[in-house]
Amino acid sequence: MKLNLKDYSNSDVIKFLREYGSMTQKDLAKHLKKSVRTVQRYEAGDIQIDLETIRNICELYDLNLIIESKKKKD
């Protein structure tokens, strides 16, 4: 699966991946060692998700995380 994250908010992607993996917010929270409330706040867009947590989610779903520079290469 290939997602272009610039087309979606982080909260949309987190919720999509969780639901795609047939997980509850409680399941995801347990895997991430976060509270259910924190996962709810990620999905609502109330708080920003840190890079380490994004990496953990990618690992959970066997996804590659590719970070590209916004600067154009000369």
Side-chain angles (χ1 to χ4, degrees):
M1 172 181 11
K2 186 174 183 178
L3 292 174
N4 189 339
L5 296 183
K6 69 180 179 182
D7 296 335
Y8 303 94
S9 69
N10 289 344
S11 58
D12 291 336
V13 173
I14 300 304
K15 185 175 182 179
F16 171 79
L17 289 174
R18 179 183 59 76
E19 290 176 346
Y20 180 80
S22 300
M23 295 182 86
T24 64
Q25 289 177 332
K26 184 177 179 179
D27 295 333
L28 183 59
K30 184 177 179 180
H31 175 78
L32 298 175
K33 298 178 181 150
K34 305 277 185 185
S35 70
V36 174
R37 182 66 184 131
T38 297
V39 171
Q40 291 170 339
R41 293 180 72 203
Y42 287 153
E43 290 186 5
D46 294 340
I47 57 174
Q48 289 296 314
I49 189 166
D50 59 275
L51 186 57
E52 183 66 20
T53 302
I54 291 171
R55 193 180 66 75
N56 290 336
I57 291 170
C58 288
E59 185 177 287
L60 172 65
Y61 294 109
D62 196 28
L63 300 171
N64 291 322
L65 177 62
I66 300 169
I67 300 172
E68 295 179 354
S69 173
K70 290 184 179 183
K71 296 179 182 179
K72 292 184 179 183
K73 295 180 182 179
D74 293 333

